[in-house]
Amino acid sequence: MSAGVHPALAKARSIGDALPWLARHQGRTVVIKLGGHAMVDEDLTAAFARDVVFLRYAGLRPVVVHGGGPQIDAELARRGLAREFRGGLRVTSPPAMDVVRMVLAGQVQRELVGLINRFGPLAVGMTGEDADTLTAVRHVPWIDGEPVDVGRVGDITGVDTGALDSLLADGRIPVVSPLARSAEDGAVYNVNADTVAAALAAALRAEALVMLTDVAGLYAGWPHSEEVIGRLTAGELEKLLPELSEGMVPKMTGCLHAVRSGVGAARVIDGRVPHAVLLQMFTDDGTGTVIVPDPHEAEVPHGAEVPHGAEVPHGAEVPHGAEVPHGAEVPHGAEVLA
């Protein structure tokens, strides 16, 4: 058999093609939000778990935030409790909060941790309650010009990454349930998982935020078109927010917050595509919608090397430890951080 037709040659080429991305992502943190709807298919969820372990062994530091809407709905129905949404938010009465907490932390999280650990003993489950990782106050939305009580739904007011930092430093994969400790009465709040993922990505200064959902990305002119917008700057997204469908608003608001807070890029991708995360991180073939900072908000990360001849955009922050060699242009307005 000639070397050119070896049956493993295509696999070797695929591994080799990943080299630039492996080098680029070494040691970088990526926050991945796995929606409850994306977890309904057992084979896809198992493939996701395997891919997360691959990311860790490839040198990245993945953090997983999960949802659980369909699973919560099923348990509410089993108990004879009503499912109610107002303004896209789940109305969370005290009995419903008990179900939310049990399903997220006691069912969905445990299943996901078990799946990940099947491929590598790395996952550690936690909620935003643990070590006061997330604190929140009651969220009171305004709907049709009036404040509406949606129960134990929270707005994040504080993020303490201490526990996450320790787990990541130990090589673990944190799997986080979107619950938060109340800053008001010590009770627990249900928080939108998209919002939690964005808040953690911002606090951890992640390289990327990736949201897996059950649509192909952000559609242009939905529901009249199924054309997916491939790329938006933060400013372009901000202008589109008032026009978005109810279900997409928390995702895109989270993406906007993340990139405006220093995250390198935020992506909304189709979790129904097998190995969607790997396609995003290690190829040019990723689909979905990517949100990037506005050019004037670009930031050179700590320790990054600015190549010879590179231009640092107006307003960019060049932190202490970044190497700006001879020939690189640092224009008026760029800030060199001490």
Side-chain angles (χ1 to χ4, degrees):
M1 179 181 293
S2 66
V5 294
H6 193 286
L9 184 59
K11 184 180 294 185
R13 285 174 176 163
S14 296
I15 296 171
D17 288 345
L19 178 59
W21 287 272
L22 288 169
R24 181 186 308 166
H25 298 316
Q26 282 294 304
R28 302 297 178 88
T29 300
V30 55
V31 176
I32 307 167
K33 187 264 180 167
L34 181 64
H37 288 87
M39 297 175 64
V40 172
D41 186 300
E42 293 183 1
D43 291 337
L44 283 176
T45 306
F48 169 82
R50 184 175 183 271
D51 292 348
V52 169
V53 172
F54 180 91
L55 293 180
R56 167 61 186 81
Y57 285 136
L60 285 83
R61 308 195 324 159
V63 176
V64 177
V65 177
H66 67 84
Q71 297 85 349
I72 292 169
D73 288 345
E75 183 62 22
L76 288 172
R78 193 184 71 81
R79 298 188 181 201
L81 296 174
R83 169 188 181 272
E84 182 182 359
F85 284 82
R86 301 289 301 275
L89 298 169
R90 183 184 296 276
V91 177
T92 310
S93 64
M97 186 68 233
D98 291 340
V99 171
V100 168
R101 195 180 191 190
M102 182 200 72
V103 170
L104 291 177
Q107 176 187 337
V108 178
Q109 180 205 100
R110 303 319 306 163
E111 291 174 358
L112 191 52
V113 166
L115 278 174
I116 293 172
N117 285 339
R118 185 185 302 172
F119 299 102
L122 301 167
V124 177
M126 61 181 292
T127 80
E129 303 172 62
D130 297 328
D132 282 354
T133 298
L134 298 173
T135 51
V137 297
R138 182 183 294 270
H139 176 65
V140 181
W142 284 71
I143 301 174
D144 296 329
E146 296 183 355
V148 175
D149 182 6
V150 291
R152 303 294 307 180
V153 176
D155 279 328
I156 296 173
T157 56
V159 181
D160 184 337
T161 63
L164 290 169
D165 290 335
S166 296
L167 289 170
L168 291 170
D170 195 37
R172 305 300 175 183
I173 300 173
V175 178
V176 185
S177 302
L179 302 168
R181 179 69 60 188
S182 170
E184 302 155 319
D185 57 14
V188 179
Y189 281 121
N190 176 27
V191 184
N192 182 280
D194 299 320
T195 304
V196 169
L200 292 181
L204 291 166
R205 305 292 284 181
E207 178 185 63
L209 167 65
V210 180
M211 295 193 181
L212 279 78
T213 184
D214 58 351
V215 296
L218 180 62
Y219 295 112
W222 177 262
H224 308 293
S225 168
E226 293 189 1
E227 176 189 355
V228 174
I229 301 172
R231 184 180 185 275
L232 287 170
T233 65
E236 291 169 339
L237 173 59
E238 190 171 31
K239 294 175 183 177
L240 284 178
L241 281 178
E243 305 171 14
L244 299 185
S245 63
E246 192 173 81
M248 192 58 72
V249 168
K251 291 177 177 55
M252 303 317 295
T253 300
C255 289
L256 180 62
H257 169 72
V259 297
R260 284 268 169 88
S261 301
V263 176
R267 294 173 168 85
V268 176
I269 63 175
D270 193 342
R272 301 169 298 180
V273 176
H275 308 295
V277 173
L278 296 188
L279 289 172
Q280 285 294 321
M281 302 305 297
F282 296 116
T283 76
D284 285 325
D285 300 323
T287 57
T289 302
V290 59
I291 312 301
V292 297
D294 292 315
H296 68 277
E297 293 177 343
E299 179 177 340
V300 180
H302 176 77
E305 180 179 344
V306 181
H308 177 75
E311 179 179 347
V312 180
H314 176 77
E317 293 183 350
V318 183
H320 177 72
E323 181 180 347
V324 184
H326 176 73
E329 181 181 347
V330 182
H332 176 73
E335 180 182 354
V336 179
L337 302 182

